[in-house]
Each structure stands twice: as C-alpha cells, then as structure tokens.
Amino acid sequence: MARIVVVGAGMGAMAAAARLAVAGHRVTVVERSGTHGGAVGRWERDGFAFDTGPGLLHLPAVWRDLFVKTGRRELAECVGIARIDPLAEHRFADGTVVRVPAARGGAVQALDGALGAGAGERWADLLGRARSTWETTRRPLVEEPLLAGEPTAVLGQDPFPARPRGLLRRRTPPTLAALADEGLRDPRLAAVLTGTVREYGCDPARVPASAAVLAYLEQTFGLWYPEGGMRALADAVRERCEERRVEFRFGTGAARVLARDGRAGGVELADGGVVEADAVVWGAPGLGGVPREGTSRFTLFLALRGARPADAPHRTLLHPAPGGPAGGAVRVLRPDDPASRPDGAHEAVTLSAPAPPQGTGPGRADWTAPGAADAFAERLLAAADDAGLGLRARLLWRHAHTPADVERDTGVPGGLVPGPALAGADGAFLAAPNTGRLPGAYRVGGLAHPGGGLAHAGMSGAMAAGLIVEGPEWHGST
C-alpha cells in the first residue's frame, strides 16, 4: 500500500483519488479552498440555485465507468442523469430558429426545414468526416496517457479528412472557422458548428478543423444533465471518495512537489508544512502551467417570476449578427429542475458567453472595475431581448459570475477555461503530459492531458491512476 497525496479536489483529482483508494492505496487530498469540485460549483440565493461552471455533461460513460470500478453502487443509483433533447435551439439575428434534435436523422430534417434543402446533408457530411477523426484519434487523444518526453508528432497532424474533388483531394482547411465556411456555406449553418465548438472554450478562428469532432460527440453521444445540477455529480464523486476512505484536507494549499531519492516524495504546503508520500498527483494550477491561450466565461444568473414554459429547450444558443451584443453566441440554460428554483411559480435561467480573462494586459479585462460586470450583463440581457425570449420582464434579480470569480474558484490565472486537447496545429492544442518532471509525479485535471471538460478531466484521473497502479507501460483501458 503506497501513500499518495492528491493536490486539489477538482473532478479529475477526485477521479484519480477514488480509483487509487479502491486499488488499496492510502490517499490524502489537499485542497486550498474550503470545498470540492473545482470549477463545478453552485451558487444559491432565495431558493434559487445555479451551476457556476459547466452546465451540461458530455460522454457520461467516463463517470459511469468510475462508479462501476470503485464501488457497488452505480452512478445512476447515486445521481440521476437525463439526456436532453433537443441538443440545442439556435436563434439567429434574421429571425431564423432551428431546434437540433438529439437524433442524427431528426437533425438533418430540422436543418433542411429551417435553413433550406441541402443544409442537413452538408451537416451530415461534415459529421461523417468528424466521425473518421474521432476513430483515428480516440485512443491517443482521449483514452491513452501522454507521457513527458513522448513524441507527439502523430497528434500534431490534423486528421480531419479533406473532401474529394474529382480525382484529387482538397487540403484540409487550416481552422474550424475555415472548415465551417467552406463545407457548410450558409453562415447560419456555419454558426451552428462554430457556436457548438465555442461551448468547449475553443476559438473557431484558431483551433484546427479536427475540433469538429466536438459537434460529432454531441450529436452521437448526447448531452446530459444530472438531477440537482452539475454540483450533484461533484457531490456524488466526493461521496464515493469518502466511501473508499480518501482523506480530504480542505483549506490546505500545496506549494510544490518535494524530491526524495530522485523521485517525488511528497508536497510542501503553502504554510511550510510537509505531506510525505510515495507518489504525488497534481490536480491544481502550477505543476503544468496554465492554458497557452484561451478565454474565460462570463455567467449571469437570473431569478425569474413565473413558471418555466413547458416547451422551453434546455439549451439555446443566440447567434447575433456580426458585431452584435456579445460578439458571439450567447448560451441560455433553462433546466427543468425543481432543485434550481424555490417552487413551480419561478424559474432559474443562466446566460453566459465567452469573455476576456481577468487582468490588465492585451486581450484581458479588469472585471473588478466598477461597472464592468454590469455592462457585460446588460449585453447578455440585450441579446436575450433581441431573440424574443422575454426574460427581462420577469426578472426578480440577477447575479454575475465573472472571470475574476472563475479565477478565485479554480486558481487558474485570469480564470482561463481550458479547452479539450485537439489533434493538429503541430500539437499547439495538446495539454501538459500526465507524468511530471520527477518520477512519481503525475498531472490530472483540465490543465493536463486530455485537456478541459468534465469527461476529459475524468479521463485524466483514470490515466494517472492507471500509471500508478499498473506502471509506466500502461496504455489505457480497452
């Protein structure tokens, strides 16, 4: 039985802790804040409750696997998770509205009906090529660990297949935005793709065409919502850790990994104390740096009078005209969840959009400056007004969760939201390896391979645990 210290109580860190504990190791989690979950937080007031981080779950099989491998009760016995349908309602500045069903065939029909004949076929063709990308990169990019010093040339090439042109093949467009323009042609259909990919913290003008795989995953495996909100999933994972006798030390920050006999031997705490260990799993900012680039997210919580309309979609993406109110798609989440509201005569709605990270340099914004949060909040409400959602007239109160709050909650400088690892662009969108500089040190969480997002964070925990339990030759589960 080894002594293992896990730094951070985020989702990837807890996933590693539970797996290591069930393998017989003595696991201690040290967390600088007073709670678990990392970015998966909850904000409550007057009987209303809102998720402060991710609002929906993709690839829930990652978390089902964790619960199967670590205890008798499966995930469904700990927290109910329902698939949402439609995947999203898209509203455009010209008045076009299209609901994209969870079923692929239904999506084709819906796109044809709203955007004209042929739109659905172009969408299906693009997702078909994205499927090929998923099949090519699934193991090295999502299921297998990335080791320090390991060649990544295969992941530096964009695997998204080019479209045939006679006997020749066109080159793959260099970015997702270029792919959307070339392959989908209708700006509204292109916005369906780019808006979906932005949901994962990716800039369509910078990420490679392989990012289209994110839209494929949504359409193929669906989007899911835990009963009680995303925080309910975090609570269930912590409970599983405690069932496996993982020790949590909250209010305990770690400063660095300590070396002993040429390998990781524990961590030095922020207060100067030491926790000795045979291996260290680092799930906090610091060991792997921060995302090389990216954006944060501004979220606005709305407490509304009046019941939630029965036909309201769970997720709506508002696509303003170029240069519109928020400069990009605004996400509207309207869960049909009694836990989110005081009673059936009220509704909890969340608006959010990509936003500059906290800071004062180029491309950043000081969200603590007077009026900064209110001005952005008004832009989001204006986008909802322009889309005809009628939220402002029902407003009781609102509360903004800014990139400065994200920075406070996660510890990531600027409140940057890491995107998932992507193949292509010479490896520019790969995350830090799962192994650290010292033998016996491992990375997990959104800043480690395979990158940001709850499913990817959960996989990072499985990777670190596999490397510790099985050794450096472990290459992922089949």
Side-chain angles (χ1 to χ4, degrees), residues 369-461:
D374 283 341
F376 202 89
E378 281 298 320
R379 292 165 66 185
L380 297 189
L381 279 171
D385 289 342
D386 291 345
L389 297 185
L391 303 181
R392 194 189 296 266
R394 300 168 53 203
L395 186 63
L396 292 171
W397 49 260
R398 72 191 194 195
H399 176 81
H401 191 81
T402 74
D405 298 314
V406 178
E407 180 180 60
R408 179 202 63 222
D409 293 346
T410 65
V412 178
L416 284 167
V417 177
L422 298 170
D426 296 324
F429 293 92
L430 298 179
N434 300 108
T435 52
R437 178 178 55 84
L438 283 172
Y442 305 86
R443 298 183 181 94
V444 297
L447 299 176
H449 179 78
L454 281 180
H456 293 73
M459 286 303 302
S460 75

Side-chain angles (χ1 to χ4, degrees), residues 2-24:
R3 301 168 300 169
I4 300 174
V5 60
V6 177
V7 177
M11 297 297 282
M14 290 195 295
R19 290 177 181 271
L20 290 167
V22 82

Side-chain angles (χ1 to χ4, degrees), residues 4-14 16-17 20 27-32 252-259 264-270 273 275 277 279-290 410-413 432-438 440-449 457 460-461 464-465 468:
I4 300 174
V5 60
V6 177
V7 177
M11 297 297 282
M14 290 195 295
L20 290 167
V27 183
T28 299
V29 175
V30 296
E31 165 60 48
R32 66 178 182 87
T252 305
R256 63 188 180 98
V257 178
L258 296 175
V267 297
E268 180 182 339
L269 303 177
V275 178
V280 175
V281 177
W282 194 279
L287 189 62
V290 298
T410 65
V412 178
N434 300 108
T435 52
R437 178 178 55 84
L438 283 172
Y442 305 86
R443 298 183 181 94
V444 297
L447 299 176
H449 179 78
S460 75
I468 292 172

